[in-house]
Coordinates of all heavy atoms in Angstrom, one line a residue:
M1 N 2.4 34.8 -37.1 CA 3.7 35.4 -36.7 C 4.7 34.3 -37.1 O 4.5 33.1 -36.8 CB 3.8 35.8 -35.3 CG 5.1 36.3 -34.9 SD 5.3 36.1 -33.1 CE 5.4 37.8 -32.8
A2 N 5.7 34.6 -37.8 CA 6.7 33.8 -38.2 C 7.5 33.3 -36.9 O 7.6 34.0 -35.9 CB 7.8 34.5 -39.1
D3 N 8.1 32.1 -37.1 CA 8.7 31.5 -36.0 C 10.0 32.3 -35.8 O 10.8 32.4 -36.7 CB 9.0 30.1 -36.3 CG 9.7 29.3 -35.2 OD1 9.7 29.8 -34.0 OD2 10.3 28.2 -35.4
I4 N 10.3 32.8 -34.6 CA 11.5 33.6 -34.3 C 12.7 32.7 -34.1 O 13.8 33.2 -34.3 CB 11.2 34.6 -33.2 CG1 12.3 35.6 -33.1 CG2 11.1 33.8 -31.8 CD1 12.1 36.7 -32.2
R5 N 12.5 31.4 -33.8 CA 13.6 30.6 -33.5 C 14.2 30.0 -34.8 O 13.8 28.9 -35.2 CB 13.2 29.5 -32.5 CG 14.3 28.6 -32.1 CD 15.1 29.1 -31.0 NE 16.2 28.4 -30.5 CZ 16.2 27.7 -29.4 NH1 15.1 27.7 -28.7 NH2 17.3 27.0 -29.1
T6 N 15.0 30.8 -35.5 CA 15.6 30.5 -36.7 C 17.1 30.1 -36.5 O 17.6 30.2 -35.4 CB 15.7 31.7 -37.6 OG1 16.5 32.7 -37.0 CG2 14.3 32.3 -37.9
S7 N 17.7 29.6 -37.6 CA 19.1 29.1 -37.4 C 20.1 30.4 -37.0 O 21.0 30.2 -36.3 CB 19.5 28.6 -38.7 OG 19.6 29.4 -39.7
D8 N 19.6 31.6 -37.4 CA 20.4 32.8 -37.1 C 20.3 33.0 -35.7 O 21.3 33.3 -34.9 CB 19.9 34.0 -37.9 CG 20.3 33.9 -39.4 OD1 21.2 33.2 -39.7 OD2 19.5 34.6 -40.1
V9 N 19.0 32.8 -35.1 CA 18.9 33.0 -33.7 C 19.6 31.9 -32.9 O 20.3 32.2 -31.9 CB 17.3 33.0 -33.3 CG1 17.1 32.9 -31.8 CG2 16.6 34.2 -33.9
D10 N 19.5 30.7 -33.4 CA 20.4 29.6 -32.7 C 21.9 29.9 -32.7 O 22.5 29.7 -31.8 CB 20.0 28.3 -33.5 CG 18.7 27.7 -32.9 OD1 18.2 28.1 -31.9 OD2 18.2 26.9 -33.7
D11 N 22.3 30.5 -33.8 CA 23.8 31.0 -33.9 C 24.1 31.9 -32.7 O 25.0 31.9 -32.0 CB 24.1 31.5 -35.2 CG 24.2 30.6 -36.3 OD1 24.3 29.2 -36.0 OD2 24.3 31.0 -37.5
L12 N 23.2 32.9 -32.6 CA 23.4 34.0 -31.5 C 23.3 33.3 -30.1 O 24.1 33.5 -29.2 CB 22.3 35.0 -31.6 CG 22.4 36.1 -30.6 CD1 23.6 36.8 -30.5 CD2 21.1 37.0 -30.7
L13 N 22.4 32.4 -30.0 CA 22.3 31.7 -28.6 C 23.5 30.8 -28.4 O 24.0 30.8 -27.2 CB 21.0 30.7 -28.6 CG 19.8 31.4 -28.8 CD1 18.6 30.3 -29.0 CD2 19.4 32.3 -27.6
T14 N 24.1 30.2 -29.5 CA 25.3 29.5 -29.3 C 26.4 30.3 -28.8 O 27.1 30.0 -27.9 CB 25.7 28.7 -30.6 OG1 24.6 27.8 -30.9 CG2 27.0 28.0 -30.4
V15 N 26.6 31.5 -29.4 CA 27.6 32.5 -29.1 C 27.4 32.9 -27.6 O 28.4 32.8 -26.8 CB 27.7 33.6 -30.0 CG1 28.6 34.7 -29.4 CG2 28.1 33.2 -31.4
L16 N 26.2 33.4 -27.2 CA 26.0 33.8 -25.9 C 26.2 32.7 -24.8 O 26.8 33.0 -23.8 CB 24.5 34.4 -25.8 CG 24.3 35.7 -26.5 CD1 22.8 36.1 -26.6 CD2 25.1 36.8 -26.0
A17 N 25.8 31.5 -25.2 CA 26.0 30.4 -24.3 C 27.4 30.0 -24.0 O 27.8 29.4 -23.1 CB 25.2 29.2 -24.7
T18 N 28.3 30.3 -25.0 CA 29.6 29.9 -25.0 C 30.5 30.9 -24.4 O 31.4 30.5 -23.7 CB 30.2 29.6 -26.4 OG1 29.3 28.6 -27.2 CG2 31.5 29.2 -26.5
L19 N 30.2 32.2 -24.5 CA 31.0 33.2 -23.8 C 30.8 33.2 -22.4 O 29.7 33.1 -21.9 CB 30.5 34.6 -24.4 CG 30.8 34.7 -25.9 CD1 30.3 36.2 -26.3 CD2 32.3 34.7 -26.3
D20 N 32.0 33.3 -21.6 CA 31.8 33.3 -20.2 C 32.6 34.6 -19.5 O 32.6 34.6 -18.3 CB 32.3 32.0 -19.7 CG 33.7 31.7 -19.9 OD1 34.4 32.5 -20.7 OD2 34.3 30.6 -19.5
D21 N 33.0 35.4 -20.4 CA 33.8 36.6 -19.8 C 32.9 37.8 -20.0 O 32.5 38.1 -21.0 CB 35.1 36.8 -20.6 CG 35.8 38.1 -20.2 OD1 36.0 38.3 -19.0 OD2 36.0 38.9 -21.1
P22 N 32.5 38.5 -18.9 CA 31.5 39.6 -19.0 C 32.0 40.7 -19.9 O 31.2 41.3 -20.5 CB 31.4 40.1 -17.4 CG 31.7 38.8 -16.7 CD 32.7 38.1 -17.5
D23 N 33.3 41.0 -19.9 CA 33.8 42.0 -20.9 C 33.6 41.7 -22.3 O 33.3 42.5 -23.0 CB 35.3 42.4 -20.5 CG 35.5 42.9 -19.1 OD1 34.5 43.6 -18.6 OD2 36.5 42.8 -18.5
T24 N 33.8 40.4 -22.6 CA 33.7 39.9 -24.0 C 32.2 40.1 -24.3 O 31.8 40.4 -25.4 CB 34.2 38.5 -24.1 OG1 35.6 38.6 -23.8 CG2 34.0 38.0 -25.6
I25 N 31.3 39.6 -23.4 CA 29.9 39.6 -23.7 C 29.4 41.1 -23.8 O 28.6 41.4 -24.7 CB 29.1 38.9 -22.5 CG1 29.4 37.5 -22.5 CG2 27.6 39.2 -22.7 CD1 29.0 36.8 -21.2
F26 N 29.9 42.0 -23.0 CA 29.5 43.4 -23.1 C 30.0 44.0 -24.5 O 29.3 44.7 -25.1 CB 30.2 44.3 -21.9 CG 29.7 45.6 -22.0 CD1 28.5 45.9 -21.6 CD2 30.6 46.6 -22.4 CE1 28.0 47.3 -21.6 CE2 30.1 47.9 -22.5 CZ 28.8 48.3 -22.0
A27 N 31.2 43.6 -24.9 CA 31.7 44.0 -26.2 C 30.8 43.6 -27.3 O 30.4 44.3 -28.2 CB 33.2 43.6 -26.4
L28 N 30.3 42.4 -27.3 CA 29.3 41.8 -28.2 C 28.1 42.7 -28.2 O 27.5 43.1 -29.1 CB 29.1 40.3 -28.0 CG 28.1 39.7 -28.9 CD1 28.5 39.8 -30.3 CD2 27.8 38.3 -28.5
L29 N 27.5 42.8 -26.9 CA 26.4 43.7 -26.9 C 26.5 45.1 -27.3 O 25.7 45.7 -28.1 CB 25.9 43.8 -25.3 CG 25.4 42.5 -24.7 CD1 25.1 42.8 -23.2 CD2 24.3 41.9 -25.4
E30 N 27.6 45.7 -27.1 CA 27.9 47.0 -27.7 C 27.9 47.0 -29.3 O 27.5 47.9 -29.9 CB 29.2 47.5 -27.2 CG 29.3 48.1 -25.8 CD 30.5 48.8 -25.5 OE1 31.5 48.1 -25.6 OE2 30.5 50.0 -25.2
D31 N 28.3 45.9 -29.7 CA 28.4 45.7 -31.3 C 27.1 45.4 -31.9 O 26.7 45.9 -33.0 CB 29.4 44.7 -31.7 CG 30.8 45.1 -31.5 OD1 31.1 46.3 -31.3 OD2 31.8 44.2 -31.6
L32 N 26.2 44.6 -31.1 CA 25.0 44.2 -31.6 C 23.8 45.2 -31.4 O 23.0 45.4 -32.2 CB 24.5 42.9 -30.9 CG 25.2 41.6 -31.2 CD1 24.8 40.5 -30.3 CD2 24.9 41.2 -32.7
F33 N 23.8 46.0 -30.3 CA 22.8 46.8 -29.9 C 23.2 48.3 -29.7 O 24.4 48.5 -29.4 CB 22.2 46.3 -28.5 CG 21.7 45.0 -28.6 CD1 22.3 43.9 -27.8 CD2 20.7 44.5 -29.3 CE1 22.0 42.7 -27.8 CE2 20.3 43.2 -29.3 CZ 20.9 42.3 -28.6
T34 N 22.3 49.2 -29.8 CA 22.5 50.6 -29.4 C 22.6 50.7 -27.9 O 22.2 49.7 -27.2 CB 21.4 51.5 -29.9 OG1 20.2 51.2 -29.2 CG2 21.2 51.4 -31.4
V35 N 23.2 51.8 -27.4 CA 23.3 52.0 -26.0 C 21.9 52.0 -25.5 O 21.7 51.5 -24.4 CB 24.0 53.4 -25.8 CG1 23.9 53.8 -24.4 CG2 25.5 53.2 -26.2
R36 N 20.9 52.6 -26.1 CA 19.6 52.7 -25.7 C 19.0 51.3 -25.5 O 18.3 51.0 -24.5 CB 18.8 53.5 -26.6 CG 17.3 53.7 -26.1 CD 16.5 54.5 -27.1 NE 15.1 54.4 -26.8 CZ 14.2 55.2 -27.3 NH1 14.5 56.1 -28.3 NH2 12.9 55.1 -26.8
E37 N 19.3 50.4 -26.5 CA 18.7 49.1 -26.3 C 19.3 48.3 -25.2 O 18.7 47.5 -24.6 CB 19.0 48.3 -27.6 CG 18.1 48.8 -28.8 CD 18.6 48.3 -30.2 OE1 19.8 48.0 -30.4 OE2 17.8 48.2 -31.1
I38 N 20.6 48.4 -24.9 CA 21.3 47.7 -23.8 C 20.6 48.3 -22.5 O 20.3 47.5 -21.6 CB 22.8 48.1 -23.8 CG1 23.4 47.4 -25.0 CG2 23.5 47.5 -22.5 CD1 24.9 47.7 -25.3
R39 N 20.5 49.6 -22.4 CA 19.8 50.2 -21.2 C 18.4 49.7 -21.0 O 18.0 49.4 -19.8 CB 20.0 51.7 -21.2 CG 21.3 52.3 -21.1 CD 21.3 53.8 -21.0 NE 22.7 54.2 -20.7 CZ 23.2 55.3 -21.2 NH1 22.4 56.1 -22.0 NH2 24.4 55.7 -20.9
E40 N 17.7 49.8 -22.1 CA 16.2 49.3 -21.9 C 16.2 47.8 -21.6 O 15.2 47.4 -20.7 CB 15.5 49.6 -23.2 CG 15.3 51.1 -23.4 CD 14.6 51.4 -24.8 OE1 14.5 50.4 -25.6 OE2 14.3 52.5 -25.0
T41 N 17.0 47.0 -22.1 CA 17.0 45.6 -21.9 C 17.4 45.3 -20.4 O 16.8 44.5 -19.6 CB 17.9 44.8 -22.7 OG1 17.5 44.9 -24.1 CG2 17.9 43.3 -22.4
S42 N 18.5 46.1 -19.9 CA 18.9 46.0 -18.5 C 17.7 46.4 -17.6 O 17.6 45.9 -16.5 CB 20.1 46.8 -18.3 OG 21.2 46.3 -19.2
Q43 N 17.1 47.5 -18.0 CA 16.0 48.1 -17.2 C 15.0 47.0 -17.0 O 14.3 46.9 -16.0 CB 15.4 49.3 -17.8 CG 14.3 50.0 -17.1 CD 13.6 51.1 -17.8 OE1 13.1 50.8 -18.9 NE2 13.8 52.3 -17.3
R44 N 14.6 46.3 -18.0 CA 13.6 45.2 -17.9 C 14.0 44.2 -16.8 O 13.1 43.7 -16.2 CB 13.3 44.6 -19.3 CG 12.6 45.5 -20.2 CD 12.3 44.9 -21.6 NE 12.0 45.9 -22.5 CZ 12.4 46.0 -23.7 NH1 13.3 45.1 -24.2 NH2 12.1 46.9 -24.6
L45 N 15.2 43.8 -16.9 CA 15.7 42.8 -15.8 C 15.5 43.5 -14.4 O 15.1 42.8 -13.5 CB 17.1 42.4 -16.1 CG 17.6 41.3 -15.2 CD1 16.8 40.1 -15.2 CD2 19.1 41.0 -15.6
L46 N 15.8 44.7 -14.3 CA 15.6 45.4 -13.0 C 14.2 45.4 -12.6 O 13.9 45.1 -11.5 CB 16.2 46.8 -13.1 CG 16.0 47.7 -11.8 CD1 16.5 47.0 -10.5 CD2 16.6 49.1 -12.0
V47 N 13.3 45.7 -13.6 CA 11.8 45.6 -13.3 C 11.4 44.3 -12.9 O 10.7 44.2 -11.9 CB 11.0 46.2 -14.5 CG1 9.6 45.9 -14.4 CG2 11.3 47.7 -14.8
A48 N 11.9 43.3 -13.5 CA 11.6 41.9 -13.2 C 12.0 41.7 -11.6 O 11.2 41.1 -10.8 CB 12.2 40.9 -14.1
R49 N 13.2 42.2 -11.3 CA 13.7 41.9 -9.9 C 12.8 42.6 -8.9 O 12.5 42.1 -7.8 CB 15.1 42.5 -9.8 CG 16.2 41.6 -10.6 CD 17.4 42.3 -10.6 NE 18.2 42.1 -9.4 CZ 19.4 42.5 -9.1 NH1 20.1 43.2 -10.0 NH2 20.0 42.3 -7.9
M50 N 12.4 43.8 -9.3 CA 11.6 44.6 -8.4 C 10.2 44.0 -8.3 O 9.6 44.0 -7.1 CB 11.6 46.0 -8.8 CG 13.0 46.7 -8.8 SD 13.0 48.5 -9.4 CE 12.2 49.3 -8.0
L51 N 9.7 43.5 -9.3 CA 8.3 42.8 -9.3 C 8.4 41.6 -8.5 O 7.5 41.3 -7.7 CB 7.8 42.5 -10.7 CG 7.3 43.7 -11.5 CD1 7.2 43.3 -13.0 CD2 6.0 44.1 -11.0
A52 N 9.4 40.8 -8.6 CA 9.6 39.6 -7.8 C 9.9 39.9 -6.4 O 9.4 39.2 -5.5 CB 10.9 38.8 -8.4
A53 N 10.3 41.1 -6.0 CA 10.4 41.5 -4.6 C 9.2 42.1 -4.1 O 9.1 42.6 -2.9 CB 11.6 42.5 -4.6
G54 N 8.2 42.2 -4.9 CA 6.8 42.7 -4.5 C 6.6 44.2 -4.4 O 5.6 44.7 -3.9
K55 N 7.4 44.9 -5.2 CA 7.3 46.3 -5.4 C 6.1 46.6 -6.2 O 5.7 45.9 -7.2 CB 8.5 47.0 -6.0 CG 9.8 46.8 -5.0 CD 10.4 48.1 -4.9 CE 11.7 47.9 -3.9 NZ 12.4 49.1 -3.7
S56 N 5.5 47.7 -5.9 CA 4.3 48.2 -6.8 C 4.7 48.8 -8.1 O 5.9 49.2 -8.2 CB 3.5 49.3 -5.9 OG 4.3 50.5 -5.9
Y57 N 3.8 48.9 -9.0 CA 4.1 49.4 -10.3 C 4.6 50.9 -10.1 O 5.5 51.4 -10.8 CB 2.9 49.4 -11.2 CG 2.6 48.2 -12.0 CD1 2.9 46.9 -11.3 CD2 2.0 48.2 -13.2 CE1 2.6 45.7 -12.0 CE2 1.7 47.0 -13.9 CZ 2.1 45.8 -13.3 OH 1.8 44.7 -14.0
A58 N 3.8 51.7 -9.2 CA 4.2 53.1 -9.0 C 5.7 53.2 -8.5 O 6.3 54.2 -8.9 CB 3.1 53.7 -8.1
A59 N 6.0 52.3 -7.6 CA 7.3 52.4 -7.0 C 8.4 52.1 -8.0 O 9.4 52.8 -8.1 CB 7.5 51.5 -5.7
I60 N 8.1 51.1 -8.9 CA 9.0 50.7 -9.9 C 9.2 51.8 -11.0 O 10.3 52.2 -11.4 CB 8.6 49.4 -10.6 CG1 8.7 48.2 -9.6 CG2 9.4 49.1 -11.8 CD1 8.0 47.0 -10.0
E61 N 8.0 52.4 -11.4 CA 8.0 53.5 -12.3 C 8.9 54.7 -11.8 O 9.7 55.3 -12.5 CB 6.6 53.9 -12.6 CG 6.5 54.8 -13.8 CD 5.1 55.1 -14.3 OE1 4.1 54.6 -13.7 OE2 5.0 55.8 -15.3
A62 N 8.7 55.0 -10.4 CA 9.4 56.2 -9.9 C 10.8 55.9 -9.8 O 11.6 56.8 -10.0 CB 8.8 56.5 -8.5
E63 N 11.2 54.6 -9.4 CA 12.6 54.4 -9.2 C 13.5 54.1 -10.5 O 14.6 54.4 -10.5 CB 12.7 53.1 -8.2 CG 14.1 52.8 -7.8 CD 14.2 51.8 -6.7 OE1 13.3 51.6 -5.9 OE2 15.3 51.1 -6.7
T64 N 12.8 53.6 -11.5 CA 13.5 53.1 -12.7 C 13.3 54.0 -13.9 O 14.0 54.0 -14.9 CB 13.1 51.7 -13.1 OG1 11.8 51.7 -13.5 CG2 13.4 50.7 -11.9
G65 N 12.1 54.7 -13.9 CA 11.7 55.5 -15.0 C 11.1 54.7 -16.1 O 10.7 55.1 -17.2
A66 N 10.9 53.4 -15.8 CA 10.2 52.5 -16.8 C 8.7 52.9 -16.9 O 8.0 53.3 -16.0 CB 10.3 51.0 -16.3
S67 N 8.2 52.8 -18.1 CA 6.8 53.1 -18.3 C 5.9 52.0 -17.8 O 6.3 50.9 -17.5 CB 6.5 53.2 -19.8 OG 6.5 51.9 -20.5
A68 N 4.7 52.4 -17.5 CA 3.7 51.4 -17.0 C 3.5 50.3 -17.9 O 3.3 49.1 -17.6 CB 2.3 52.2 -16.6
T69 N 3.6 50.6 -19.2 CA 3.3 49.5 -20.3 C 4.6 48.5 -20.2 O 4.3 47.3 -20.3 CB 3.4 50.1 -21.7 OG1 2.3 51.1 -21.7 CG2 3.2 49.2 -22.7
T70 N 5.8 49.0 -20.0 CA 6.9 48.1 -19.9 C 6.9 47.3 -18.6 O 7.1 46.1 -18.7 CB 8.3 48.9 -19.8 OG1 8.4 49.6 -21.0 CG2 9.5 48.0 -19.5
I71 N 6.4 47.9 -17.5 CA 6.3 47.1 -16.2 C 5.2 46.0 -16.4 O 5.4 44.9 -16.0 CB 6.0 48.1 -15.1 CG1 7.1 49.1 -14.9 CG2 5.6 47.3 -13.8 CD1 6.8 50.3 -14.0
A72 N 4.1 46.4 -17.0 CA 3.0 45.4 -17.2 C 3.5 44.3 -18.1 O 3.2 43.1 -17.8 CB 1.8 46.1 -17.8
R73 N 4.3 44.6 -19.1 CA 4.7 43.6 -20.0 C 5.6 42.6 -19.3 O 5.7 41.3 -19.5 CB 5.4 44.2 -21.3 CG 6.0 43.2 -22.3 CD 6.4 43.9 -23.6 NE 6.7 42.8 -24.5 CZ 7.9 42.6 -25.0 NH1 8.9 43.3 -24.5 NH2 8.1 41.7 -25.9
V74 N 6.6 43.1 -18.6 CA 7.5 42.3 -17.7 C 6.8 41.5 -16.8 O 7.0 40.3 -16.7 CB 8.6 43.1 -17.1 CG1 9.4 42.2 -16.0 CG2 9.5 43.8 -18.1
S75 N 5.8 42.1 -16.1 CA 4.8 41.4 -15.2 C 4.2 40.1 -15.8 O 4.1 39.0 -15.3 CB 3.8 42.3 -14.5 OG 3.0 41.5 -13.6
K76 N 3.7 40.4 -17.1 CA 3.0 39.4 -17.8 C 4.0 38.2 -18.2 O 3.6 37.1 -18.0 CB 2.3 40.0 -19.1 CG 1.6 39.0 -19.9 CD 1.0 39.6 -21.1 CE 0.3 38.6 -22.0 NZ -0.2 39.1 -23.2
C77 N 5.2 38.6 -18.6 CA 6.3 37.6 -18.9 C 6.6 36.8 -17.6 O 6.8 35.5 -17.8 CB 7.4 38.3 -19.4 SG 7.1 38.9 -21.1
L78 N 6.7 37.4 -16.5 CA 7.0 36.8 -15.2 C 5.9 35.7 -14.9 O 6.2 34.6 -14.5 CB 7.1 37.6 -14.1 CG 8.5 38.4 -13.9 CD1 8.4 39.5 -12.8 CD2 9.5 37.4 -13.5
S79 N 4.6 36.0 -15.2 CA 3.5 35.2 -14.9 C 3.2 34.1 -15.9 O 2.9 33.0 -15.6 CB 2.3 36.0 -14.5 OG 2.4 36.8 -13.5
Y80 N 3.3 34.6 -17.2 CA 2.9 33.6 -18.2 C 3.9 33.4 -19.3 O 3.5 32.8 -20.3 CB 1.6 34.2 -18.9 CG 0.5 34.6 -17.9 CD1 0.2 35.9 -17.5 CD2 -0.1 33.4 -17.3 CE1 -0.7 36.2 -16.6 CE2 -1.1 33.8 -16.3 CZ -1.5 35.1 -16.1 OH -2.4 35.4 -15.1
G81 N 5.1 34.0 -19.2 CA 6.1 33.9 -20.3 C 6.8 32.5 -20.3 O 6.3 31.5 -19.7
A82 N 7.8 32.5 -21.0 CA 8.6 31.3 -21.3 C 9.5 30.8 -20.2 O 10.1 29.8 -20.2 CB 9.5 31.4 -22.6
G83 N 9.6 31.7 -19.1 CA 10.4 31.4 -18.0 C 11.9 31.9 -18.0 O 12.7 31.7 -17.1
G84 N 12.1 32.8 -19.0 CA 13.4 33.4 -19.1 C 13.7 34.4 -17.9 O 14.9 34.3 -17.3
Y85 N 12.8 35.2 -17.6 CA 13.0 36.1 -16.4 C 13.2 35.3 -15.1 O 14.2 35.7 -14.3 CB 11.9 37.1 -16.2 CG 11.8 38.3 -17.2 CD1 10.7 38.5 -18.0 CD2 12.9 39.2 -17.2 CE1 10.7 39.6 -18.8 CE2 12.9 40.3 -18.0 CZ 11.7 40.5 -18.8 OH 11.7 41.6 -19.6
A86 N 12.4 34.3 -15.0 CA 12.5 33.5 -13.8 C 14.0 32.8 -13.7 O 14.6 32.9 -12.5 CB 11.4 32.3 -13.7
K87 N 14.4 32.4 -14.7 CA 15.7 31.8 -14.8 C 16.8 32.8 -14.6 O 17.8 32.6 -13.9 CB 16.0 31.0 -16.2 CG 17.4 30.4 -16.3 CD 17.6 29.3 -15.1 CE 18.8 28.6 -15.2 NZ 19.0 27.6 -14.1
A88 N 16.7 34.0 -15.2 CA 17.6 35.1 -14.9 C 17.7 35.5 -13.5 O 18.8 35.8 -12.9 CB 17.2 36.3 -15.9
L89 N 16.4 35.6 -12.8 CA 16.5 36.0 -11.5 C 17.1 34.9 -10.6 O 17.7 35.3 -9.6 CB 15.0 36.3 -11.0 CG 14.3 37.5 -11.7 CD1 12.8 37.6 -11.2 CD2 15.1 38.8 -11.4
E90 N 17.0 33.7 -11.0 CA 17.5 32.6 -10.3 C 19.1 32.7 -10.3 O 19.8 32.5 -9.3 CB 17.1 31.3 -10.9 CG 17.7 30.0 -10.2 CD 17.1 28.7 -10.9 OE1 15.9 28.6 -11.2 OE2 18.0 27.9 -11.2
V91 N 19.6 33.0 -11.5 CA 21.0 33.1 -11.7 C 21.6 34.3 -10.8 O 22.6 34.2 -10.1 CB 21.4 33.5 -13.2 CG1 22.8 33.9 -13.4 CG2 21.1 32.2 -14.0
L92 N 20.8 35.4 -10.7 CA 21.3 36.6 -9.9 C 21.1 36.2 -8.5 O 22.0 36.6 -7.6 CB 20.4 37.8 -10.2 CG 20.5 38.4 -11.6 CD1 19.5 39.5 -11.8 CD2 21.9 38.9 -11.8
Q93 N 20.1 35.4 -8.0 CA 20.0 34.9 -6.7 C 21.1 34.1 -6.3 O 21.7 34.2 -5.2 CB 18.7 34.2 -6.5 CG 18.4 33.7 -5.1 CD 18.0 35.0 -4.2 OE1 17.5 35.9 -4.6 NE2 18.5 34.9 -2.9
D94 N 21.5 33.2 -7.2 CA 22.6 32.2 -7.0 C 23.9 32.9 -6.8 O 24.8 32.5 -6.1 CB 22.7 31.1 -8.0 CG 21.6 30.2 -8.1 OD1 20.8 30.2 -7.1 OD2 21.5 29.4 -9.0
R95 N 24.1 34.1 -7.5 CA 25.3 34.9 -7.4 C 25.2 35.8 -6.3 O 26.2 36.6 -6.0 CB 25.4 35.8 -8.7 CG 25.8 35.0 -9.9 CD 26.1 35.8 -11.1 NE 27.1 36.8 -10.7 CZ 27.2 38.0 -11.4 NH1 26.4 38.3 -12.3 NH2 28.1 38.9 -11.0
G96 N 24.2 35.8 -5.4 CA 24.0 36.5 -4.3 C 23.6 37.9 -4.4 O 23.8 38.8 -3.6
E97 N 23.1 38.2 -5.6 CA 22.6 39.5 -5.9 C 21.1 39.8 -5.4 O 20.7 40.9 -5.6 CB 22.9 39.9 -7.4 CG 24.3 39.9 -7.7 CD 24.6 40.3 -9.1 OE1 23.8 41.0 -9.7 OE2 25.7 39.9 -9.6
G98 N 20.5 38.8 -5.1 CA 19.2 38.8 -4.5 C 18.1 39.2 -5.6 O 18.5 39.3 -6.8
A99 N 16.9 39.3 -5.1 CA 15.8 39.5 -6.1 C 15.4 40.9 -6.0 O 14.4 41.3 -6.7 CB 14.6 38.6 -5.8
T100 N 16.0 41.8 -5.4 CA 15.6 43.2 -5.2 C 16.6 44.2 -5.9 O 17.7 43.7 -6.2 CB 15.5 43.7 -3.8 OG1 16.7 43.5 -3.1 CG2 14.5 42.8 -3.0
A101 N 16.2 45.3 -6.2 CA 17.0 46.3 -6.8 C 18.0 46.7 -5.8 O 17.7 46.8 -4.7 CB 16.2 47.5 -7.3
S102 N 19.1 47.3 -6.4 CA 20.2 47.8 -5.4 C 19.9 49.2 -5.2 O 19.3 49.9 -5.8 CB 21.6 47.6 -6.0 OG 21.6 47.7 -7.3

């Protein structure tokens, strides 16, 4: 598999790391992704929050509509991934949004 961390990816990372206004970031997401991609990506973060809170796959699937495959993939990333979900959950925790779904 080709290395995904290219200079183009680094440019995107630089832009995302520099932006600090949620409306500007959302505008960029709207330009970069389809509505479906934004929803699916957001859903994965919700699944991670629910897994971290100890919810079962069945409860997560029922509440979010996420497939068992998506839930399993997020779970695998939480356990063996690069740490991105853990950092995202930490950010949400620091903002007082907790580790559970609303």
Side-chain angles (χ1 to χ4, degrees):
M1 176 196 247
D3 184 19
I4 193 169
R5 188 77 183 260
T6 64
S7 61
D8 292 337
V9 171
D10 281 340
D11 287 346
L12 176 60
L13 297 175
T14 298
V15 169
L16 290 172
T18 303
L19 296 176
D20 61 1
D21 173 56
D23 292 330
T24 302
I25 296 166
F26 186 75
L28 177 61
L29 292 180
E30 281 188 304
D31 288 346
L32 288 172
F33 303 113
T34 65
V35 170
R36 180 178 176 177
E37 290 168 330
I38 294 170
R39 286 185 178 146
E40 288 174 352
T41 302
S42 300
Q43 180 188 63
R44 289 180 194 134
L45 184 56
L46 174 58
V47 167
R49 292 172 78 178
M50 295 175 78
L51 286 168
K55 297 231 180 178
S56 70
Y57 279 34
I60 294 169
E61 189 171 3
E63 189 172 329
T64 67
S67 70
T69 302
T70 295
I71 298 166
R73 182 167 187 252
V74 171
S75 179
K76 182 179 176 183
C77 288
L78 277 170
S79 297
Y80 307 108
Y85 279 120
K87 184 59 182 172
L89 295 177
E90 182 182 310
V91 168
L92 293 174
Q93 184 71 33
D94 290 349
R95 288 187 53 208
E97 296 182 24
T100 58
S102 34

